[in-house]
Amino acid sequence: MSTEILVNIAPQETRVALVESGVVQEAYVQRALRHGLVGNLYVGQVQRVLPGMQAAFVDIGLERTGFLHASDMVRLNEAADGALPLISSLLHEGQRVLVQVLKDPLGSKGARLTTLPSIPSRYLVLLPYDQHVGVSARIEDDAERERLRKVVTALVAEMTPDLGVIVRTAGEGATEEALRNDLRFLQRLWTSIQAAGNEAPSRSLVHGDLPLSMRILRDLLGVDVDRVRVDSAEEWGRLRTFARTFIPDAVDIIEHYDGAAPIFDLFGVEDDLNRALDRRVPLKSGGHLVIDQTEAMTTVDVNTGAYTGHRNLEETALKTNLEAAQAIARQLRLRNLGGIIIIDFIDMHDPQHREQITRLLERCLARDPARSVVCPLSPLGLVEMTRKRTRESLGHILCEPCPACEGRGYLKTVETVCYEIFREVQRSARQFEAQAFLVLAAVPVIERLRDDLSVGLAELEEQLSRPVRLQPEPQYLQESFDVVPI
């Protein structure tokens, strides 16, 4: 399987796509006016401590205060009897505290914070307030895991005995010298962060993560990435300079793309990103998915659509569900949908078929770097799952609620708006001693009042003994109107 990383640089915006075997699997967007915050370290000031919630709100200089839970302040395995200490024993209002962003602000929620930072480099993650040495679970070879654990344990004992370290997936096969250089870099970086944190004023940024293109190289670039293509000569030069320092083996696979077609037209990336904003996802069999994202959860409905199968209903359901499971795993990753996810598969009666769907979904999610937990198929054909969410979904980054429907996904009909206008005119007639009433509304609404509802309008005028004048406003949305006493 070939894997490529495509980097598109535009004024004030960077976009990155991870493409596996010609299919877009992940997309990242960073804009100058809207940076992601995950990984950033701030000196915050505690605004409120909530003992009942075991949490505190911390001002880090953003629009909304961040949320800090007691579980993100201590290692439970280090607390006495594994008990969580009271938040009031850890924090007090007005206190300065060094925090790291775990999750970006989402919707109406502020950023999720921790006082237990983790600082990544190419091969390692530094845990300043931990003394644990671990190895990524994605490194499956037992012999390699043991080698890395021994090497890193010895390096930590020699260089940073008070700090903890985790070996990242990219550390597989790394030499002792490479790991040593990585650890030395992290040690120096943490020392500088501590110094900056002591001097910085409250509610200020102490350390920001790398720009998107460099962060992608650090996090995604591994032995399975065949090529990185960048459509900006300047960014290509910066990435190669960065790679020479931190990822020397990757320098030769970073290429400058200067083709005639836009880089995101390769492999249909642009089209895939646009389709990832649609509710409906077609399946090759003729079925389709309907994906709805709310603040609390994401729901996925599987439908057979035009596909009816050739043998029986059970075969149709199985084939559609198998195709849907693969498509769902890809869509969750591409759209970066996280939190609670409910999937409504088509009902199947055969227990083996039901188990087959769950296993396939888990297997398709295995390549997703975001951790997920999948529950067995329920008797109603529902799969409950969670996917770790650290940044905003693609839809939240690229879109905003529709001003016409305010995010509901539907509009009141023209007829409904007309009857609302009738009621508002009656209400105004009771409040104001006006000689007439002027109705300003969208063009289709005014046309309906003049045509199909002209009799009702005449009856209203007779009832009020006052005329009602109509004025179409092309700028008005369908649900918007004004009734003005004149």
Side-chain angles (χ1 to χ4, degrees):
M1 179 177 65
S2 63
T3 302
E4 292 194 19
I5 294 175
L6 306 181
V7 181
N8 168 229
I9 305 295
Q12 304 292 298
E13 181 187 57
T14 299
R15 300 188 300 171
V16 176
L18 177 68
V19 181
E20 296 177 350
S21 299
V23 178
V24 185
Q25 298 293 344
E26 293 184 36
Y28 302 81
V29 179
Q30 178 175 291
R31 290 170 174 166
L33 299 179
R34 191 178 179 181
H35 280 286
L37 306 176
V38 173
N40 287 359
L41 285 144
Y42 295 84
V43 174
Q45 185 172 47
V46 178
Q47 294 296 300
R48 282 196 297 160
V49 177
L50 307 174
M53 294 178 61
Q54 276 286 73
F57 288 105
V58 182
D59 186 356
I60 58 175
L62 303 180
E63 181 180 351
R64 293 186 295 275
T65 55
F67 180 81
L68 176 60
H69 193 266
S71 61
D72 293 317
M73 297 188 67
V74 295
R75 305 284 181 191
L76 289 182
N77 58 350
E78 296 176 1
D81 301 324
L84 192 62
L86 296 176
I87 189 72
S88 55
S89 68
L90 301 172
L91 293 174
H92 59 82
E93 292 185 6
Q95 180 179 342
R96 282 168 52 96
V97 58
L98 182 67
V99 293
Q100 185 177 47
V101 177
L102 285 177
K103 295 181 180 180
D104 279 329
L106 297 170
S108 61
K109 299 177 182 177
R112 181 72 180 259
L113 308 175
T114 180
T115 59
L116 302 171
S118 58
I119 305 172
S121 62
R122 174 58 184 149
Y123 301 121
L124 305 173
V125 176
L126 186 70
L127 307 176
Y129 300 118
D130 199 346
Q131 294 182 339
H132 170 71
V133 173
V135 179
S136 168
R138 292 183 177 271
I139 299 178
E140 299 177 352
D141 185 87
D142 290 337
E144 176 63 4
R145 290 178 62 84
E146 185 61 26
R147 180 190 76 87
L148 289 169
R149 192 183 301 277
K150 287 182 178 179
V151 169
V152 174
T153 299
L155 290 174
V156 168
E158 172 192 341
M159 301 170 60
T160 58
D162 296 330
L163 305 179
V165 171
I166 293 176
V167 182
R168 307 184 69 185
T169 307
E172 186 171 11
T175 65
E176 179 179 347
E177 186 60 25
L179 294 169
R180 180 187 296 275
N181 291 337
D182 233 30
L183 186 55
R184 184 180 295 113
F185 165 77
L186 287 172
Q187 185 182 29
R188 292 171 178 168
L189 178 58
W190 175 238
T191 300
S192 68
I193 289 173
Q194 286 180 300
N198 291 332
E199 298 175 1
S202 298
R203 301 182 292 275
S204 62
L205 177 67
V206 172
H207 172 71
D209 206 355
L210 293 169
L212 176 61
S213 55
M214 295 180 184
R215 189 167 72 246
I216 291 299
L217 288 189
R218 182 195 68 194
D219 294 344
L220 297 184
L221 198 56
V223 293
D224 56 345
V225 174
D226 302 295
R227 181 160 51 173
V228 178
R229 295 201 245 189
V230 190
D231 64 358
S232 162
E234 292 182 5
E235 189 67 13
W236 169 73
R238 283 193 290 265
L239 289 182
R240 285 175 63 89
T241 300
F242 174 80
R244 287 191 191 97
T245 304
F246 297 101
I247 323 169
D249 294 341
V251 173
D252 292 338
I253 67 171
I254 302 175
E255 302 177 1
H256 175 222
Y257 174 79
D258 58 356
I263 191 169
F264 265 33
D265 284 0
L266 301 177
F267 309 112
V269 176
E270 202 73 66
D271 292 338
D272 272 349
L273 291 184
N274 288 327
R275 284 193 291 266
L277 303 176
D278 295 338
R279 290 180 66 233
R280 184 183 172 110
V281 179
L283 302 175
K284 292 181 180 178
S285 63
H288 63 272
L289 310 175
V290 177
I291 302 175
D292 286 309
Q293 184 183 2
T294 69
E295 191 165 332
M297 67 178 67
T298 297
T299 62
V300 184
D301 186 29
V302 182
N303 298 280
T304 56
Y307 178 67
T308 57
H310 302 289
R311 296 171 60 185
N312 53 53
L313 183 60
E314 183 75 13
E315 179 208 59
T316 301
L318 175 61
K319 179 175 174 58
T320 305
N321 284 340
L322 288 172
E323 187 179 356
Q326 299 176 68
I328 289 168
R330 175 174 176 254
Q331 289 297 322
L332 295 181
R333 190 176 174 188
L334 177 61
R335 299 173 185 232
N336 192 36
L337 298 174
I340 300 172
I341 299 164
I342 306 295
I343 306 172
D344 184 8
F345 284 103
I346 301 168
D347 289 341
M348 297 177 296
H349 301 290
D350 190 327
Q352 292 185 340
H353 290 169
R354 296 164 64 87
E355 186 178 349
Q356 186 178 353
I357 294 300
T358 306
R359 288 200 310 268
L360 176 61
L361 180 61
E362 291 175 333
R363 195 162 61 247
C364 293
L365 289 168
R367 289 188 59 82
D368 187 348
R371 186 173 69 253
S372 58
V373 177
V374 180
C375 298
L377 202 67
S378 76
L380 296 177
L382 302 177
V383 165
E384 300 174 20
M385 65 168 288
T386 61
R387 182 176 182 271
K388 186 175 181 181
R389 173 171 57 189
T390 58
R391 56 189 173 92
E392 288 190 292
S393 68
L394 193 65
H396 280 155
I397 293 174
L398 301 181
C399 302
E400 63 182 14
C402 169
C405 70
E406 297 181 349
R408 295 193 308 269
Y410 52 85
L411 291 172
K412 293 177 182 177
T413 65
V414 170
E415 186 179 23
T416 298
V417 177
C418 289
Y419 285 111
E420 286 185 352
I421 290 173
F422 284 170
R423 291 192 293 273
E424 184 61 27
V425 170
Q426 289 175 317
R427 187 178 298 112
S428 297
R430 296 191 191 100
Q431 293 178 329
F432 304 104
E433 295 293 334
Q435 296 181 350
F437 295 94
L438 174 64
V439 174
L440 297 89
V443 173
V445 174
I446 297 298
E447 290 177 349
R448 181 67 62 90
L449 289 171
R450 285 173 173 168
D451 297 334
D452 298 348
L453 294 176
S454 58
V455 174
L457 183 62
E459 291 176 352
L460 179 62
E461 290 178 317
E462 183 179 354
Q463 176 188 339
L464 300 177
S465 300
R466 280 170 282 185
V468 177
R469 301 173 185 172
L470 305 178
Q471 180 174 318
E473 293 290 342
Q475 295 82 13
Y476 274 38
L477 300 174
Q478 183 164 301
E479 294 186 2
S480 301
F481 64 86
D482 289 299
V483 175
V484 182
I486 55 176

